[in-house]
Amino acid sequence: MTRTELSDAPPPTPGGSRSGQGQSALSHGLKQRHLSMIALGGVIGAGLFVGSGAGIAAAGPSIVLAYAASGLLVMLVMRMLGEMSAANPASGSFSVHAERALGPWAGFTAGWIYWALLCVAIATEATAAADIVTKWLPGSEPWMWVAAFMALFCLTNLVAVRNFGETEFWFAALKIFAITAFLLLGAAAIAGLLPGVDAPGTANLTGEGGFLPAGTNGLVVGLLASVFAYGGLETVTIAAAESEDPVKGVAKAVRTAMWRIAVFYVGSMLVIVTLIPWDDKSVLSGPYAAVLDHIGIPGAAQLMNIVVLVALLSAMNANIYGASRMAFSLIARGQGPRFLGRVSGSGVPRPAVVASSVFGFVAVLLNLWWPETVFQWLLNTVGAATLVVWGFIALSQLVGRRRLEREAPEKLVVRMWAFPVLTVVALLGILAVLALMLREADTRTQLAFTGCLTVVLIATGLARQKAGGRGSGGAEADADAGVAKSGDGAD
């Protein structure tokens, strides 16, 4: 299998050569079917199944508007990221684009805060998955399953990138089948086509306090819950750099994002609040299981537990992959410890995979030992990291698009809609969500912690940039972010 020198390679040395060039050869082991399914499955995250109940309980039927509004914001972010990633594929994705457009400090900040976010997410997902399994097997201990899951997905990511792709392909297939079946059954129930289930009409949408039972305050809470349910969509642009045709893969994934978000997220919320009252206690514990139970599907709770488990394991697998590639990209660009930047003969950055997995496992232990203190602090620290990353994506596209139009307009195979108007709209939307986070005590704490981490990373990045004398990123970042060049070697 051909390997290529990706665009995350370190900048040229004064002598004109690239330091560590042999360390920058990731494989192109992901096939188009892998990338397509990762893009589809990435939309159906664990947050959709796990966290939507709280949003419905807070917003009522207006949760549909909340998911639609946050979905529009995510579409704009993904379109901007798709434009940059199709023009300059790189395993560092938005971190590379930020360095190219804004300077090394921006790439450093966006990359490492995202790495921390994914590592903490791995811990959260491993813990939640272990809780599900221990309910099925009460004699077992959660730590046993956490260790098993961490070892399994660390090994999967260590062997070859196609192992990650194949595993994620089948995880995504199961999630897509589950959500599609749910939507079809829900639509049939709403139409009165299922035996023993009466068509609800609009009773649940307008009754029990109306469409906005908690007013705009409830809508805001629902909006905040829905925004973070979309986290993880960025993985497809990271994976695209290791696919057979990065430009085609990114373009296809981004262009189909709109209908996927509309159908899977907004569609499922509409089915839920139409079929059952929003204030039904079963909604908070599991809205999807509540709907399946309402329409008479036997073993609904266990069926959804299986789907949620698959979603959690899929997220773990994808997050270990994403964290390792982001760490590798940062290290290849001189933004981290060099010993973690080595690549195996099969094109896998194994030290980065192990480092990302170890951090996740340590975070799991912190959750088991001090769930109300240390682990909660970690969660708060990265609570708003997704919005920070989206902000860097928007700023990078706003600046970088002008450069592309001047220097390489032929690379604009994916274009941001109505540039620069919608880019500015997206930036304002991100700032609006950050401002709304100040309204709630929990999200206000998350905003404060994440803000402190962001400031520390920016200060560190600026200090490193000044010490390295790399200016604003200029030619070095252009070299880092350029389209992959063909290299030699085979698996």
Side-chain angles (χ1 to χ4, degrees), residues 295-319:
I295 62 179
I297 303 300
Q302 288 306 320
L303 283 174
M304 284 314 303
N305 275 336
I306 293 171
V307 173
V308 170
L309 178 62
V310 168
L312 289 167
L313 296 181
S314 172
M316 278 187 67
N317 188 39
N319 287 341

Side-chain angles (χ1 to χ4, degrees), residues 104-423:
W105 69 270
F108 178 89
T109 303
W112 284 117
I113 198 170
Y114 190 71
W115 182 82
L117 168 64
L118 293 187
C119 289
V120 175
I122 291 167
T124 306
E125 290 144 4
T127 304
D131 287 343
I132 292 175
V133 178
T134 51
K135 288 177 182 176
W136 293 339
L137 302 169
S140 59
E141 294 292 332
W143 67 266
M144 297 167 50
W145 293 108
V146 167
F149 294 147
M150 291 297 300
L152 172 64
F153 293 118
C154 180
L155 182 62
T156 297
N157 279 274
L158 280 173
V159 179
V161 70
R162 61 177 171 268
N163 285 29
F164 159 74
E166 202 65 31
T167 305
E168 201 58 24
F169 177 89
W170 291 109
F171 276 151
L174 287 170
K175 290 190 291 182
I176 292 166
F177 173 80
I179 197 71
T180 302
F182 174 83
L183 289 170
L184 290 175
L185 287 170
I190 291 171
L193 300 178
L194 294 183
V197 181
D198 296 329
T202 61
N204 293 322
L205 295 174
T206 57
E208 305 295 334
F211 191 74
L212 278 163
T216 55
N217 286 336
L219 181 60
V220 166
V221 175
L223 178 65
L224 293 176
S226 64
V227 164
F228 297 107
Y230 288 104
L233 290 175
E234 308 85 1
T235 302
V236 69
T237 61
I238 296 174
E242 291 184 77
S243 67
E244 296 172 325
D245 190 341
V247 175
K248 179 182 177 182
V250 168
K252 184 176 180 180
V254 170
R255 284 170 179 156
T256 57
M258 182 175 293
W259 71 262
R260 294 198 307 267
I261 290 173
V263 171
F264 293 147
Y265 278 84
V266 182
S268 61
M269 290 301 107
L270 183 58
V271 165
I272 291 168
V273 296
T274 301
L275 283 176
I276 53 179
W278 66 271
D279 55 355
D280 190 308
K281 291 183 180 179
S282 62
V283 172
L284 189 58
S285 58
Y288 290 84
V291 168
L292 293 178
D293 186 63
H294 174 76
I295 62 179
I297 303 300
Q302 288 306 320
L303 283 174
M304 284 314 303
N305 275 336
I306 293 171
V307 173
V308 170
L309 178 62
V310 168
L312 289 167
L313 296 181
S314 172
M316 278 187 67
N317 188 39
N319 287 341
I320 290 175
Y321 171 84
S324 65
R325 268 37 176 202
M326 183 58 71
F328 163 78
S329 173
L330 287 160
I331 292 159
R333 288 178 279 135
Q335 304 272 29
R338 290 181 60 83
F339 73 92
L340 293 178
R342 297 191 177 278
V343 177
S344 71
S346 58
V348 176
R350 287 177 176 167
V353 171
V354 172
S356 301
S357 300
V358 165
F359 187 96
F361 189 73
V362 170
V364 170
L365 293 177
L366 295 177
N367 186 30
L368 294 174
W369 295 333
W370 302 292
E372 301 301 326
T373 52
V374 179
F375 189 69
Q376 187 60 47
W377 180 85
L378 277 176
L379 287 174
N380 286 334
T381 301
V382 296
T386 299
L387 292 169
V388 174
V389 168
W390 290 356
F392 274 111
I393 290 171
L395 287 172
S396 302
Q397 193 270 337
L398 188 63
V399 174
R401 170 67 173 268
R402 302 295 190 192
R403 180 182 295 175
L404 270 177
E405 289 176 333
R406 289 194 312 268
E407 300 175 0
E410 70 280 359
K411 291 183 178 182
L412 286 169
V413 295
V414 177
R415 289 177 177 266
M416 177 59 181
W417 305 300
F419 176 83
V421 175
L422 288 184
T423 298

Side-chain angles (χ1 to χ4, degrees), residues 109 113 377-389 392 434 437-438 442-460:
T109 303
I113 198 170
W377 180 85
L378 277 176
L379 287 174
N380 286 334
T381 301
V382 296
T386 299
L387 292 169
V388 174
V389 168
F392 274 111
L434 289 170
M437 290 184 71
L438 294 171
D442 290 343
T443 53
R444 188 162 55 244
T445 301
Q446 292 174 8
L447 189 59
F449 274 87
T450 305
C452 290
L453 176 61
T454 304
V455 168
V456 169
L457 287 173
I458 289 174
T460 305

Side-chain angles (χ1 to χ4, degrees), residues 82-107:
E83 177 184 287
M84 295 184 291
S85 296
N88 297 299
S91 64
S93 186
F94 50 83
S95 173
V96 171
H97 308 322
E99 178 166 344
R100 182 173 188 263
L102 306 174
W105 69 270

